[in-house]
Amino acid sequence: MFTNEQITEVLGTQALDTDRHRNLNHLATATADGHWHLNDLPWNDLPLFPLPDNVKGRRLKAFVEFGKRAIKAQLAAEHVAVTSARYLLLRAEKEGIHISVRRAIAAVLNDEASHVFVMTEMDARAEEQFPEFPLNYVESPLLPVFREAVPSMHPALISSFMGAYEAMIAIRGYAEQAAYPRPSILGKMAAHGAVDDGKHAKVMRLAAHEWLDNFRAQLAPSQSASKIREAILDPIRYFWSLVLEHEYWLLQYDPHKLDTYERRSREDTRLGERLMNLLGFKEDELAYVSLGTITRAFQPEMA
């Protein structure tokens, strides 16, 4: 289960909002200073996957398919991140959003573009090294849907979703892969990514707060509740159900892994609720979305 300390580390505390623009500028600089690229990975010194010594046959096939599937899933997630960051940066420039927001999102975009390059290279090398194990890959029920919807969504929604997703990955996804027992390129990439995602989660959380505050300020009191529901709350409810499906998809819809799914879905819900609290959603808005209710109602065996 995600601890309070882990969630706070990736999302920050209420104090992070007290000087939002200064903190965004700091995150922009830290993200740029920590930037890494394809050539920073030891391609010639480590195997692509953490394969056991002398592994053969079905065991080798299982390890390779696991590695290929991890690459495909991460590449899909990186495409979502690039699409979202680029769109947010263009919106921020068009709307004249504070320069600190633009700097921080531009730094995230720079990172995510590099990640796409790395994951594409890993995908190509995996196919070249292990052509005898073709992967029957099925797309995530979440990632392509969200990516295609980005141009139609409010930037507060995009950035809040990406803040939650980056935080989930920072705490669990990359960290699990970084814990592989044998050194590999996949593990090295995971270690780099875990550091990046924590910064990206904070940037997106603060950008979401900026856009949400601006949105509320532009609404007439008589329109506020309905407009917030239409632009932000209803889409959160829709995409949260896809987040849950995505978690079961990551487990390959294996009914024997329902305990793992249930643990992960509880972790996601706890993190999502924490983010919504940090963004200042009102009590009635939190009750309307009710992430916990959606999570409890979702039946993964029917996905």
Side-chain angles (χ1 to χ4, degrees), residues 209-226:
H209 213 154
E210 185 86 356
W211 261 300
L212 190 59
D213 285 353
N214 291 349
F215 187 36
R216 290 188 190 279
Q218 295 165 7
L219 295 174
S222 59
Q223 297 179 313
S224 182
S226 62

Side-chain angles (χ1 to χ4, degrees), residues 105-297:
I105 293 175
V108 169
L109 177 57
N110 186 48
D111 270 5
E112 302 293 14
S114 288
H115 296 175
V116 167
F117 190 15
V118 169
M119 298 313 302
T120 301
E121 178 68 16
M122 292 180 71
D123 192 26
R125 290 186 182 226
E127 294 305 322
E128 181 181 356
Q129 291 179 30
F130 303 102
E132 69 274 28
F133 301 126
L135 181 67
N136 182 22
Y137 179 75
V138 178
E139 283 194 322
S140 161
L142 166 68
L143 299 175
V145 175
F146 188 88
R147 186 185 68 241
E148 293 301 319
V150 163
S152 66
M153 291 191 290
H154 194 281
L157 172 64
I158 298 169
S159 46
S160 60
F161 175 88
M162 290 308 300
Y165 192 80
E166 295 275 11
M168 292 171 192
I169 295 173
I171 296 176
R172 184 183 61 215
Y174 282 127
E176 286 180 356
Q177 293 171 35
Y180 294 146
R182 299 168 185 84
S184 66
I185 294 296
L186 192 61
K188 286 287 186 181
M189 183 281 305
H192 281 302
V195 176
D196 289 347
D197 293 325
K199 297 172 188 171
H200 299 173
K202 289 186 179 70
V203 168
M204 289 298 171
R205 169 212 153 174
L206 293 177
H209 213 154
E210 185 86 356
W211 261 300
L212 190 59
D213 285 353
N214 291 349
F215 187 36
R216 290 188 190 279
Q218 295 165 7
L219 295 174
S222 59
Q223 297 179 313
S224 182
S226 62
K227 291 294 184 182
I228 289 291
R229 284 191 177 190
E230 178 184 353
I232 309 295
L233 303 183
D234 285 334
I236 287 177
R237 295 175 66 177
Y238 169 68
F239 281 111
W240 195 256
S241 66
L242 296 186
V243 168
L244 300 174
E245 288 190 37
H246 175 77
E247 287 288 16
Y248 199 39
W249 169 82
L250 287 172
L251 299 170
Q252 300 181 61
Y253 301 114
D254 186 345
H256 297 100
K257 297 181 180 179
L258 283 177
D259 287 347
T260 301
Y261 161 76
E262 290 173 0
R263 173 179 56 80
R264 290 183 177 184
S265 66
R266 289 193 300 269
E267 291 172 348
D268 294 346
T269 302
R270 186 179 182 189
L271 190 149
E273 290 173 340
R274 176 60 175 159
L275 177 62
M276 291 190 72
N277 275 291
L278 288 170
L279 292 176
F281 281 98
K282 302 171 185 176
E283 191 170 325
D284 63 314
E285 294 169 341
L286 294 172
Y288 177 77
V289 171
S290 190
L291 297 182
T293 300
I294 298 172
T295 300
R296 288 188 294 272

